[in-house]
Amino acid sequence: MVRRASSVERGKVLELRTVLKEYASGAAALRRSEGQLQQVRELLADADEASAGEDTAAATNVDALFHRAVVRASGNDLLVEVYDYLGTALTASPGGPAWDATHAEEHARLHRRLVDAIESRDAGGARDAAAAIIQLTRDHEATTTRAA
């Protein structure tokens, strides 16, 4: 499965990631513990700090940890296992090329919206925020590809 996910076009991986992330985000809003919420909030702060720097690898790594923590907060062990098993393909750099300031700001805003929805136990809002994060990634990639 990892080999298959690694060999398919990125758009298909993003579709799978969207399905998993939307469901996991909604479930996290309903099932998360206070400890899990605290961990997600801390990783959000780490992601904001890493994004402000020049180290894109560090920002990508923190982003991956953030999304995995959201999935773990879903309380669905099988979903966590699938997400972790396919982690390399599912948590690849959020868009490949570097984010410009506008995309980076929107990415951070959507992450805050996701965490706020999880905190308020708003499953629909969490799913919508997760989908918007993936759509931003797709839009950024399309814009970057056209510009190249």
Side-chain angles (χ1 to χ4, degrees), residues 9-144:
E9 69 183 69
R10 185 166 170 79
K12 293 192 185 306
V13 174
L14 285 172
E15 284 181 14
L16 177 59
R17 184 177 181 204
T18 301
V19 169
L20 294 176
K21 285 292 301 165
E22 280 186 55
Y23 179 82
S25 296
L30 299 175
R31 300 176 184 155
R32 56 93 179 148
S33 68
E34 289 302 316
Q36 289 167 325
L37 176 62
Q38 181 62 30
Q39 181 184 30
V40 169
R41 282 231 172 261
E42 288 170 6
L43 287 167
L44 177 64
D46 291 348
D48 286 345
E49 184 178 322
S51 294
E54 297 292 320
D55 188 351
T56 55
T60 298
N61 288 337
V62 173
D63 188 67
L65 291 172
F66 170 83
H67 287 287
R68 284 185 171 161
V70 170
V71 173
R72 280 192 299 276
S74 74
N76 182 325
D77 293 340
L78 182 57
L79 179 59
V80 172
E81 188 176 339
V82 169
Y83 194 86
D84 283 346
Y85 187 70
L86 298 175
T88 301
L90 296 174
T91 59
S93 172
W99 293 77
D100 60 36
T102 302
H103 280 96
E105 185 178 308
E106 180 66 3
H107 191 248
R109 186 188 72 75
L110 290 170
H111 277 80
R112 286 189 297 275
R113 190 172 115 196
L114 172 59
V115 174
D116 289 345
I118 291 170
E119 181 173 22
S120 65
R121 299 195 184 275
D122 177 3
R127 285 191 303 271
D128 290 346
I133 291 167
I134 302 300
Q135 187 60 51
L136 178 68
T137 300
R138 287 179 171 189
D139 292 347
H140 176 253
E141 286 185 357
T143 301
T144 304

